[in-house]
Structure formats: C-alpha cells, structure tokens
Amino acid sequence: MAWTRKVLRVNLTQGSCVSEPLNMAWAAQYLGQRGLASKYLVSEIDPLVDPLAAENKIIYATGPLTGTMASTGGRYSVVTKGPLTGVIACSNSGGFFGAELKAAGWDMIIVEGKSPRPVYLHIENDKAVLLAAEDLWGRTVWDTEGTLKKRHQDPLLRVSSIGRAGENQVLFAAIVNDLHRAAGRSGVGAVMGSKNLKAIAVRGTLGVGNIADPKSFMAAVAAGKKVLAENAVTGQGLPTYGTQVLMNVINEMGASPTRNHRDVQFEGARKISAEAMHEKRTTDGKTHLVTNQACFGCTIACGRISRIDETHFSVETKPQYWGASGGLEYEAAWALGNANGVDDLEALQYANLVCNEDGMDPISFGATVGAVMELYELGILTRDDIGLEAPFGSAEALCRLAEMTARGEGFGKVVGLGSKRLCTRYGRPDLSMTVKGQEFPAYDGRALQGMGLAYATSNRGACHLRGYMVSSEVFGIPVKTDPRETAGKPELLKAFQDATAAVDSSGLCVFTTFAWTMNDIQPQIQSACEGDWSLESLLQTGERIWNLERDFNLAAGITGKDDTLPPRLLNEPCKTGASKGMVAELGKMLPEYYSLRGWTPDGVPTAATRARLGL
Amino acid sequence: MQKSLHIDPGKCTGCLQCEMACSYENTGLFNPATSRIKVFDFHHEGRKVPYTCTQCAEAWCLNACPVEAIKIDAGTGAKVVVDAICVGCKVCTIACPFGTINYNHGSGKVQKCDLCGGDPACASACPTSAITYIDADWTGLERMRQWAQKTDSAARV
C-alpha cells in the first residue's frame, strides 16, 4: 500500500481540520504527490480562479515512497494554481518535512479558504489544529522555525513556512522547510500568504509502513542505493560538487544565459563555480563550502552547506548570517550570478541566504534582477526609479534588491511582480526572459535545442525539471544527442516529461535519474504499492498527469500560442560557444511534439488521447 | 573477536538511513522517532553526528536496573533490554551518562541499541561508512593510520 490513505482537509475560513480517506481509485491512476495532488486540485477548483483568492486551494502532498528507506524518498510537492503564471503550479521540495508529514499519518494536506487572521497549522500525528500566528507574521522563515520549535518544546518539529516574501505576495515567493529546502517555483508561497497561513509544523511518530511486499522492497531499495553509489554523477560528482558541478560545464559549451540572455557565456563563471567554493579565501583562509548535506533518506547528498565570508560588505555587520547555511546550488548561483553578470561568490551567497530566510525563488528573483539591469542599462529604468544604481555586474545592487524584494520595500515591490509584469510595465515585454510568466533557469534554449522545446511546453512555465533534456544533450543520459540538432528531440522530450511526472509522483527525487532509469525505479514502486505499477503503467501514469495538467492550463485560458519563447531566443543568435549563430528552432519541433502527444495542431489533447488515458 | 559500532561523524551526510534501518529492524516501520541511533544536526557548524549506545563494559544502565531486565548478549557483548522483564521505571535512563537508553511510551519499556544480534542494520544502511561495525579493540585504528601517514616525514624526503 505505502499510502497512509488519509487526507487532512483544512478549511481556513471555517477554522476546521478534518480527516478524510484518500481516494484510492485516483491513487491507482495518479500514484501520489504531483499527480494525485493535481487530480485533487483540478477536481476541486475553477481553473479561472484568481490564484490569490480564497477560492484557490493549496495542496501539500507526499508520494507513496516518501518516508520510506528508498533513497531520496523524502520529497513532497505543493500544488496550487500559480500566481506568477496563472497555470498549474507544482513545486517539489526535499529536506525532512515531507517524510515527517507521512510519519504523522497523512498522505496530503488540502488547504482551502482564507483565514481571517494569521494562523499556523500544528500537526502531531492524528491531531491537527490551527493556532494563532499574529506574533509570527512579519517574521522570517528561520525565525518562524526556531520560534515554533521552542514554543512546542520539540527540537524535532519539522516546519514548512513562508517568510516576508510570501506575506507580501511576492509573485515568486517560495515555501521553505528545514531552513533552506524549498518548494521554490511559481509563487506557491504567495498563495500561502494570501490565505494568512504562515506555517505548517508537523511531528510524526507513527512511522511509515504498509509496504505491499517488504522483502522485495528492501531488496529493490538496496539495489537502487548500489546503483547510485557506483554512478560517477550521483556517487562522486554531486556529493563532492553539488549541482554546481554544472557551472563550468554549461558555461564552457556556451549554454549559460548571461546578462538577461544577451550572452551565452559568462566570463566570471569560474569565480562562482563549484571549484571556487572549494578554494580557500584570501580573507580568512577558509573555504566557502563547509560540507555536503543529504535530504531525508538520500544517499546522494548533493546539498551544499556553506559559510559566508564575515568580512564581505553584505554581512560584515550582520552576525546572524555568519553560521553555516544552505547554498549555493547551481540554479541559484546562475540566476543570482550569470543572469545579471555578478561574479562575487559571497554576494551571491548573501542574496541566496535572503531568499532562503524570507522565502523567495532565487531563480525568478535573480532573473528578474537581470531584466532590471538591462532596463537600467538601456536608460528605461533610472536611479530614481530603483533607488540605486543597477548596472550589470553590480553585487551591491543584487544584495540590496534581494532585501528590498523580500521585505516589500520601495522598488522591491516591482521586482516582486516578476520579470514579465515588470518588463511590461516599462514598455519592453520582449525583454522578459520567461515562458508563461515564469523565468528561465540556467540553460540556454538556443544552445540546447531540446531545452528550448522543454521550456516552451512545460506545464508550469519555464522550468528545467519538467523534462531535463540537459541529461541527453550534455551528459548523454540515457543517450547522447547533439544539442544543436532538433531532429528526434520532440520524441525524447515527451519520454522525459512522462517519466519525470511519474518520478515526481512517487516521493523520489528526480536527481536519481542521473543514475537510475525507470528500470531501477519501477521495482521500488511496485514492491511498495499495491496494484499494477509495471513500467508501462508508470509511463502511462506520467503521460496521464501531463495531459491532466495541460487540460487544466487550457481551461485556465492558456493556449498553444503560449507554448513559445521570448523573441530574443527566437531571433537573436548565440554570440559565442558551440552553438554560435543559432537561435531556438522551436517551429521545427513544436508541431511534431503536438502530434506525438496526440494533440491537435493547436495543442489541445484530442478526444482519442483523453479516452486512451482515461481522462 | 568482539566488535563494536564505530562512528565517524565527519562522513555523515544526515540522510537518516540509519534511523530508518534501525526502526525497521526493530518495529517493521520506517520511523526515525523510534530509532535507537540518532543523528544530531549542529546546523550552524555544518556538522552531523550519529550517536548511540557504546555498550559500556561495566554498564550503568545494567547496574541500575532494579529488576535485572538488562542482560549481556554473550555473542556480541551488547547490553540488551528484555522486554518481558522491564517494568518501564526509567531508572536506567537516569543512570546512563550518555542518554542512549530511552523510554518508549508506545511499548511502556525502555529501548537501546542491541547491535541487532551482531549485524547492525544502521551500519549496513549507511551510504558513506560513517557507521561501521568493526573490531572493538581497534576502533581508533583508521584514525591512527591517518596520523601515522602525516607523521611519516622520512619517507617523503
């Protein structure tokens, strides 16, 4: 079984917490986490709802393998209609919160309505109550976690909360658990803020059981751990260098979007790379990196724990930042660094700490700063507008804008709208490096043609985690493809998207797929869960989830016309690197992609496709 | 040969595989809350430290128990709580200088590491060898070897 078969339904308007049985018919079709929570969401809300209205709902969902010994089995997802994009938002987080929720006996929490005053949800196994949070409002994630652990006299309490960014409804506000693991993207934190829900604090001592075939499960888990340990990426690269192992690799091939995608290579990349994090600083003789850290159950341990330089201008008077803390991961380093031309590692870490502390997505924040800096260099935004000088490369501007955005001060309120709304406000929507309103992550869609298609078709706006074509186009996993080539990419992307949707619904981390194929994952799911979880069934589940999300987005008013890329990627070629002279050839791939998906030329699933998938 | 658990905190990533393995071995559930080995996270120092019973030769818990519910496993040397005898008085939890014998309100008994009868599940589950099960007389051997290597200056000349 693996599911606890229990859903906690919290109505903030009424102040009620009610247990209800998990819909097992849906679990058989959607597995858990991303898929199952999406099924609940689309069944319960109007697709046209204002994401920040009381009528929107927000779901925190574990997968069947969450809280088990399966390596990386600690994930949970937050699913809601996203305020940044207006499409379905599904943000996945690690750390320890998800497993704790499962150990408390819950597969998911569905939160609906809006509380008249700030509250937090306290869960101790089967007891769930809403408690006053007026005193927590206006405080950071870090402060909130510490305060709740003291208040409940429980250092093992796991907390998922919003900081001031979520309260201020920064449209890319994140939900942060365990100090620095985040359901980061699409503004899920703003939805939590709109509902006056400050935090969820959970303690679970019931444990996770109900494994369908324990003996087979333990064997499959051990085999999976062995594969991860013996793989060069998951066994050595990620533990040693973290995701930052990508910084130099992606930059050297000319696939690193730089200065709001004006360039594809950043001359300062080496200074902010994984290798730089291992070097001793001249100021204090210490390395930036302190250690690596695992999320719950993870035998890869890619997480970075770093210590900022106490003499750096950003923190020299702020000892609260001097201890070891999370960062930098590659996407954050890129967005805070390359995207706005800043090569000061300590400044990036400071901005990253602010993002963690107050709950902001560093990708969207950093990329929006990139747009601000381009508008500043074009003279469209001035010092008077912003309150400071903001040329590309300014570490001071980056650090100050992070504080202003998180706290809702001055121009920070405009940054908090995200790049699309900001660029539109200043008359240059073409300069917003977004798809469906969400900022690009750290790979250029011109240099990696498959990633261009992945961005255009992602169901949550620009995102690398919906179909990580980088695997194939850069690392040759599972097959090496030419990043400049468009042929074959639609088919490969569809396979990636469907498999990823299944993994995201299981409780496992998608980073395992650097080493694991579905052949490694399937036995773990099948032995844990009752029902048919054959390879075919899992991939069809993934495809079903993809189409379910697509249908919701279509009903929310997004169409095939939104499956596109900014004009810069379609018209301005890469200036340097292996893909010099290339633009994103989306037109060569999109029709074939729609056709392979069983969608009309306008990008709508056909009746036959819906029937085949049981939608 | 007597063996004992050897913990190298420098290798710990904080993944809690050991806690899950321990609870699964003893209760059939993945439940860090009932694990007999605990990983402590000293977050602002970036350190994670697994900690459990070291199986004292002269065990405070055993000596303090008023009903002789703690026995010595002849094979492993582990001090083992016999549930059928334990009355849950918790005197052993007061006696233990290290806090590694704990009351479990679910069972009404105390629990501690029993070395899984000689094949500790935590050590098998640990992905980084932060927890190993080795010759009890030589738990410091690897550390000695590392220091020996550093002090062997003649060979480097």
Side-chain angles (χ1 to χ4, degrees):
Chain A
M1 292 195 277
W3 300 275
T4 70
R5 299 178 171 235
K6 274 171 62 188
V7 174
L8 176 62
R9 187 176 291 275
V10 177
N11 187 303
L12 293 169
T13 308
Q14 299 166 7
S16 61
C17 300
V18 179
S19 170
E20 62 182 47
L22 186 72
N23 185 324
M24 290 309 294
W26 286 355
Q29 278 194 304
Y30 294 94
L31 191 55
Q33 205 180 346
R34 171 177 165 186
L36 191 51
S38 297
K39 177 63 179 171
Y40 269 92
L41 186 82
V42 307
S43 305
E44 295 193 10
I45 71 166
D46 177 352
L48 296 172
V49 71
D50 170 1
L52 297 177
E55 290 72 26
N56 193 12
K57 299 189 184 188
I58 183 166
I59 303 177
Y60 308 75
T62 66
L65 298 189
T66 305
T68 72
M69 222 168 132
S71 184
T72 77
R75 312 294 303 188
Y76 76 104
S77 288
V78 179
V79 181
T80 186
K81 183 176 176 182
L84 185 68
T85 55
V87 296
I88 195 162
C90 172
S91 298
N92 184 309
S93 182
F96 298 84
F97 176 85
E100 197 74 23
L101 179 64
K102 188 81 173 285
W106 304 101
D107 286 315
M108 65 170 78
I109 309 169
I110 301 174
V111 175
E112 52 195 32
K114 175 181 178 174
S115 172
R117 61 190 70 83
V119 290
Y120 70 98
L121 175 62
H122 181 241
I123 300 171
E124 195 178 342
N125 294 337
D126 51 347
K127 284 180 291 191
V129 287
L130 290 165
L131 298 170
E134 271 99 348
D135 63 321
L136 297 173
W137 208 253
R139 291 163 74 171
T140 67
V141 164
W142 296 353
D143 198 2
T144 299
E145 274 199 47
T147 302
L148 288 176
K149 285 178 182 183
K150 279 200 195 101
R151 181 174 302 170
H152 292 280
Q153 297 185 346
D154 190 349
L156 295 175
L157 195 69
R158 303 294 187 182
V159 181
S160 181
S161 68
I162 55 168
R164 289 172 289 188
E167 294 176 9
N168 295 331
Q169 299 186 8
V170 168
L171 293 180
F172 46 80
I175 296 172
V176 179
N177 55 279
D178 304 292
L179 301 176
H180 46 74
R181 306 314 309 182
R185 302 222 70 192
S186 313
V188 293
V191 175
M192 204 161 157
S194 75
K195 298 188 171 306
N196 272 329
L197 180 60
K198 177 68 179 174
I200 301 175
V202 59
R203 183 78 170 106
T205 62
L206 302 175
V208 174
N210 294 337
I211 301 296
D213 179 352
K215 203 174 163 196
S216 301
F217 180 70
M218 292 304 272
V221 163
K225 283 168 66 175
K226 190 159 181 284
V227 172
L228 293 177
E230 289 171 357
N231 180 276
V233 178
T234 52
Q236 293 157 27
L238 285 174
T240 309
Y241 293 113
T243 52
Q244 269 275 64
V245 70
L246 292 161
M247 179 61 78
N248 285 327
V249 176
I250 300 298
N251 190 57
E252 277 160 23
M253 69 186 293
S256 177
T258 300
R259 286 176 285 267
N260 206 35
H261 287 66
R262 277 182 171 179
D263 301 302
V264 291
Q265 288 183 306
F266 180 39
E267 63 286 354
R270 205 207 59 79
K271 290 174 68 179
I272 58 172
S273 66
E275 290 79 354
M277 289 170 72
H278 277 267
E279 287 164 12
K280 284 185 179 161
R281 289 188 283 243
T282 53
T283 48
D284 60 3
K286 293 176 183 165
T287 58
H288 188 83
L289 183 74
V290 176
T291 185
N292 64 326
Q293 179 162 330
C295 294
F296 183 92
C298 174
T299 58
I300 304 172
C302 73
R304 302 291 91 185
I305 301 294
S306 299
R307 193 181 281 123
I308 201 165
D309 182 350
E310 295 171 12
T311 65
H312 189 260
F313 75 85
S314 59
V315 295
E316 58 186 346
T317 60
K318 302 171 192 164
Q320 68 268 34
Y321 297 105
W322 294 354
S325 193
L328 286 159
E329 317 293 342
Y330 173 57
E331 298 297 334
W334 167 82
L336 301 167
N338 312 40
N340 44 50
V342 176
D343 64 2
D344 177 344
L345 182 66
E346 307 299 332
L348 306 193
Q349 175 63 355
Y350 176 69
N352 187 62
L353 289 172
V354 170
C355 286
N356 289 339
E357 182 187 29
D358 262 315
M360 288 198 296
D361 169 16
I363 302 179
S364 284
F365 166 71
T368 302
V369 171
V372 168
M373 288 181 170
E374 180 158 16
L375 290 166
Y376 177 85
E377 297 223 331
L378 293 170
I380 297 167
L381 278 173
T382 66
R383 185 195 163 95
D384 285 346
D385 296 316
I386 305 171
L388 44 85
E389 308 283 356
F392 278 123
S394 171
E396 292 79 7
L398 172 73
C399 294
R400 189 70 194 104
L401 285 170
E403 296 165 356
M404 290 162 65
T405 306
R407 298 168 195 170
E409 297 168 2
F411 189 74
K413 287 200 185 84
V414 186
V415 176
L417 297 173
S419 150
K420 181 184 168 188
R421 289 168 179 83
L422 185 145
C423 290
T424 303
R425 172 182 287 207
Y426 295 102
R428 293 297 300 272
D430 56 306
L431 293 183
S432 169
M433 295 299 119
T434 53
V435 175
K436 301 184 178 77
Q438 178 157 286
E439 291 74 11
F440 287 112
Y443 314 90
D444 198 288
R446 293 165 291 194
L448 307 177
Q449 292 293 323
M451 277 312 289
L453 181 65
Y455 289 144
T457 58
S458 158
N459 283 332
R460 68 166 186 175
C463 171
H464 55 297
L465 293 168
R466 287 297 174 270
Y468 192 65
M469 295 291 280
V470 178
S471 264
S472 169
E473 297 184 302
V474 179
F475 297 106
I477 304 168
V479 286
K480 182 77 180 86
T481 54
D482 184 343
R484 294 164 299 183
E485 187 57 64
T486 55
K489 296 295 169 66
E491 187 179 2
L492 192 60
L493 177 64
K494 177 182 178 294
F496 271 49
Q497 288 172 334
D498 292 349
T500 303
V503 174
D504 284 347
S505 302
S506 68
L508 300 175
C509 175
V510 77
F511 285 7
T512 56
T513 60
F514 281 115
W516 285 352
T517 67
M518 290 307 282
N519 289 321
D520 299 299
I521 294 170
Q522 183 272 336
Q524 301 185 57
I525 297 175
Q526 180 65 78
S527 55
C529 304
E530 66 186 19
D532 168 24
W533 296 106
S534 63
L535 212 51
E536 297 70 30
S537 167
L538 275 174
L539 293 176
Q540 193 181 51
T541 298
E543 186 178 9
R544 183 180 298 121
I545 293 164
W546 192 265
N547 282 271
L548 179 88
E549 293 170 341
R550 178 74 177 186
D551 269 344
F552 177 86
N553 290 351
L554 290 167
I558 301 297
T559 69
K561 286 201 280 296
D562 299 292
D563 294 339
T564 189
L565 297 166
R568 177 164 283 172
L569 270 71
L570 297 171
N571 305 321
E572 293 179 27
C574 297
K575 292 175 191 161
T576 59
S579 299
K580 186 177 174 181
M582 291 200 68
V583 296
E585 303 279 4
L586 191 59
K588 289 187 185 169
M589 299 180 281
L590 200 57
E592 185 189 346
Y593 173 84
Y594 283 171
S595 164
L596 287 165
R597 277 250 167 254
W599 295 354
T600 68
D602 295 327
V604 179
T606 62
T609 299
R610 287 200 178 101
R612 179 172 62 81
L613 296 170
L615 286 165
Chain B
M1 180 180 72
Q2 185 118 317
K3 294 175 88 176
S4 74
L5 284 174
H6 177 54
I7 291 171
D8 182 351
K11 291 180 179 169
C12 178
T13 63
C15 73
L16 308 190
Q17 281 273 334
C18 57
E19 295 193 10
M20 280 188 282
C22 178
S23 59
Y24 184 77
E25 178 76 17
N26 288 294
T27 68
L29 296 172
F30 302 110
N31 191 4
T34 61
S35 173
R36 295 148 189 215
I37 185 164
K38 293 279 182 206
V39 179
F40 293 88
D41 182 7
F42 300 95
H43 190 74
H44 294 293
E45 300 165 35
R47 292 195 304 133
K48 285 84 63 179
V49 185
Y51 205 71
T52 190
C53 175
T54 54
Q55 315 294 348
C56 308
E58 189 158 329
W60 278 268
C61 60
L62 183 148
N63 289 330
C65 180
V67 294
E68 296 187 13
I70 301 175
K71 309 287 188 194
I72 299 174
D73 182 312
T76 63
K79 314 303 173 293
V80 180
V81 178
V82 181
D83 276 359
I85 303 174
C86 176
V87 294
C89 73
K90 314 180 197 67
V91 168
C92 55
T93 69
I94 300 168
C96 174
F98 308 107
T100 52
I101 184 162
N102 299 101
Y103 183 67
N104 180 327
H105 79 273
S107 65
K109 316 281 182 185
V110 294
Q111 62 176 39
K112 67 179 290 299
C113 172
D114 60 4
L115 296 176
C116 298
D119 182 16
C122 55
S124 307
C126 180
T128 61
S129 301
I131 306 167
T132 48
Y133 190 53
I134 62 172
D135 184 344
D137 290 355
W138 289 107
T139 55
L141 195 64
E142 177 58 23
R143 198 172 299 173
M144 280 173 77
R145 197 191 67 78
Q146 285 169 13
W147 280 102
Q149 190 174 28
K150 284 182 193 172
T151 53
D152 182 16
S153 54
R156 278 190 243 152
V157 176

